[in-house]
């Protein structure tokens, strides 16, 4: 079977990986069947590209310009990808709809785009957190941006109660243990990855800081700060990968520029031509299990449990895990939160 194919009167080679995407993936994305089932359809001779039957794989196609037919029926053209940056106000859900029986405002209620594309939010902010939310219909980009493997940085401006001191700042930077919950039960504790932190301002009863995280655990910023004794008063996401919130009013939105989309795709390791070569397919397990070690972290004081010590189970009391899971400061920490 010849692997060359005509495109606008020009012979071209479907073995040329720079042409875009694997044929079975384009079919699967269009909803034909799973990738594996699409491979079977191709090998059975049911698929034509630009008028020629293709049976050999891999075959690379451009879904924008190639005419692909499955069992004689053309594949629908892919929906144009949209990328919207929204400045989420407070009291708004970061999901497509509320739970049955509830009718709270969602981020989608705030974006009326003429293309009427089926958008979804990339990651989540809490109901009361404000700031940058990316909405798109590009599933691949969304998956990569939210997957810990790619570590897309998210920057938060946080106001906490009390004067955040050096010791708490170092503790947050080194990583602290947060309870891990599954199906409503605490099943262990995970250490947060390194964060970047800078204190912007201290005033009479609070501290304003900027925190950059490369992972996204549930209510992570609130739980981390509560765990070191500084409850969050307000939380705003101001950056996500190369995107910045600046210039978009609260509740308003805009489309990303072409330059921002390129930068975002680079951050998510998606190539501009062959989109399947950007990164390993099987991502690493997202959850860091605590390492078993008897080592004491440098600077830790003997005899006093440290939030960032190695996770030998007895060092984290059930109470501390429960507190962390519910975002409550532990007993010792609570005292510290009061100063300022
Ligand atoms: N961390 C939080 O605690 N809440 C958010 O909304 C985002 C990050």
């Amino acid at each position: 079977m010849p692997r060359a194919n005509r495109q606008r009167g020009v012979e071209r080679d479907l073995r040329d990986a720079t042409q875009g995407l694997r044929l079975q993936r384009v079919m699967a994305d269009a909803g034909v069947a799973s990738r594996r089932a699409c491979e079977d359809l191709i090998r059975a001779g049911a698929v034509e590209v630009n008028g020629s039957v293709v049976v050999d794989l891999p075959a690379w196609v451009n879904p924008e310009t190639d005419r692909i037919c499955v069992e004689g029926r053309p594949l629908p053209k892919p929906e144009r990808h949209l990328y919207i940056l929204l400045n989420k106000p407070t009291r708004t859900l970061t999901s497509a709809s509320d739970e049955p029986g509830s009718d709270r405002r969602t981020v989608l209620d705030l974006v009326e785009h003429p293309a009427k594309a089926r958008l979804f939010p990339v990651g989540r902010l809490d109901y009361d957190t404000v700031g940058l939310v990316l909405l798109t219909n590009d599933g691949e980009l969304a998956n990569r941006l939210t997957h810990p493997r790619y570590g897309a940085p998210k920057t938060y401006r946080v106001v906490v109660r009390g004067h955040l001191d050096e010791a708490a700042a170092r503790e947050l930077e080194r990583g602290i243990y947060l309870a891990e919950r599954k199906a409503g039960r605490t099943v262990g504790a995970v250490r947060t990855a390194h964060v970047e932190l800078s204190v912007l301002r201290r005033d009479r009863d609070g501290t304003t800081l900027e925190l950059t995280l490369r992972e996204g655990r549930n209510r992570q910023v609130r739980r981390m700060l509560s765990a070191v004794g500084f409850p969050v008063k307000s939380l705003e996401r101001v950056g996500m990968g190369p995107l910045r919130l600046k210039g978009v009013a609260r509740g308003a939105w805009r489309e990303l520029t072409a330059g921002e989309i390129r930068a975002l795709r680079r951050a998510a390791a998606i190539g501009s031509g062959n989109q399947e070569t950007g990164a390993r397919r099987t991502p690493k397990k997202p959850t860091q299990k605590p390492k078993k070690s008897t080592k004491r972290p440098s600077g830790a004081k003997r005899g006093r449990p440290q939030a960032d010590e190695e996770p030998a189970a007895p060092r984290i009391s059930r109470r501390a895990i429960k507190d962390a899971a519910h975002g409550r400061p532990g007993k010792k920490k609570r005292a510290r939160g009061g100063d300022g």
Side-chain angles (χ1 to χ4, degrees):
M1 179 64 54
R3 301 296 315 285
N5 202 284
R6 281 195 170 274
Q7 188 183 24
R8 293 192 182 131
V10 180
E11 286 283 322
R12 78 169 187 79
D13 189 350
L14 298 185
R15 286 165 301 191
D16 179 359
T18 62
Q19 287 303 319
L21 301 169
R22 286 175 195 266
L23 178 54
Q24 66 270 35
R25 170 162 165 207
V26 172
M27 291 166 59
D29 286 351
V32 172
S34 69
R35 286 190 199 186
R36 180 60 60 80
C38 290
E39 284 174 19
D40 292 343
L41 280 169
I42 296 164
R43 291 202 178 94
V47 181
E48 286 171 37
V49 178
N50 302 331
S52 302
V53 175
V54 176
V55 289
D56 294 334
L57 293 173
W60 304 88
V61 293
N62 180 338
E64 299 283 346
T65 52
D66 286 323
R67 203 162 37 76
I68 302 163
C69 291
V70 181
E71 290 170 336
R73 284 193 297 275
L75 274 195
K77 285 283 166 226
E79 202 178 31
R80 180 169 84 86
H81 282 156
L82 275 183
Y83 306 90
I84 306 274
L85 187 159
L86 167 73
N87 188 341
K88 173 190 170 305
T90 185
R91 302 176 67 75
T92 308
L93 288 174
T94 314
S95 58
S97 59
D98 202 351
E99 302 153 357
S102 267
D103 193 22
R104 289 171 294 177
R105 179 173 64 185
T106 74
V107 287
L108 291 186
D109 294 332
L110 299 170
V111 179
E112 275 278 330
H113 192 280
K116 302 275 176 236
R118 278 170 302 152
L119 298 171
F120 49 85
V122 178
R124 269 171 201 268
L125 291 182
D126 299 335
Y127 189 59
D128 286 327
T129 301
V130 299
L132 196 162
V133 173
L134 176 66
L135 296 153
T136 185
N137 54 352
D138 182 344
E140 187 189 15
L141 185 89
N143 283 341
R144 291 196 178 203
L145 285 175
T146 47
H147 201 285
R149 170 177 169 72
Y150 300 96
K154 285 148 220 137
T155 301
Y156 296 88
R157 176 123 353 139
V158 196
V159 181
V160 295
R161 264 204 289 280
H163 280 181
L164 188 104
D165 51 27
E166 269 300 301
R170 296 293 84 81
E171 214 171 323
L172 290 166
E173 282 172 341
R174 280 200 305 260
I176 56 173
Y177 286 105
L178 295 178
E180 173 151 81
R181 288 171 69 78
K182 281 201 181 118
R185 290 182 48 219
T186 300
V187 292
V190 283
R191 188 177 181 165
T192 58
H194 175 77
V195 299
E196 284 148 45
L197 183 153
S198 51
V199 171
L200 304 181
R201 205 169 40 248
R202 285 193 176 89
D203 35 40
R204 211 164 53 83
D205 54 358
T207 308
T208 305
L209 56 133
E210 220 164 69
L211 207 57
T212 300
L213 274 63
R214 288 175 183 271
E215 55 184 356
R217 302 184 187 285
N218 187 32
R219 298 176 70 80
Q220 183 165 345
V221 174
R222 294 177 197 274
R223 289 164 68 205
M224 285 176 76
L225 282 151
S226 269
V228 293
F230 295 90
V232 169
K233 289 210 290 190
S234 69
L235 182 55
E236 177 184 31
R237 182 153 69 193
V238 294
M240 183 173 175
L243 307 179
R244 290 291 165 271
L245 181 66
K246 208 164 165 224
V248 181
R250 194 81 75 220
W253 59 271
R254 65 169 174 83
E255 280 194 51
L256 297 191
T257 64
E260 285 174 323
I261 297 168
R262 272 197 303 276
L264 207 52
R265 294 176 76 78
R266 268 199 304 276
I270 300 178
S272 52
N274 173 8
Q275 300 184 359
E276 302 200 335
T277 57
R280 201 174 67 178
R281 277 298 184 76
T282 324
K284 247 180 7 195
K285 262 195 123 193
T287 313
Q288 287 170 245
K289 290 276 175 240
K291 282 187 222 130
K292 281 213 170 91
S293 164
T294 51
K295 264 196 195 159
R296 190 174 291 278
S298 61
K301 292 194 185 73
R302 189 169 285 281
R304 289 178 58 200
Q306 300 286 304
D308 63 339
E309 276 179 348
E310 292 296 329
R315 291 216 164 269
I316 304 171
S317 68
R318 282 172 182 274
R319 175 81 210 168
I321 289 175
K322 246 184 173 166
D323 279 338
H326 295 288
R328 290 193 297 258
K331 217 173 168 195
K332 179 177 73 120
K333 310 291 183 189
R334 211 174 277 138
R336 211 198 299 172
D339 13 285

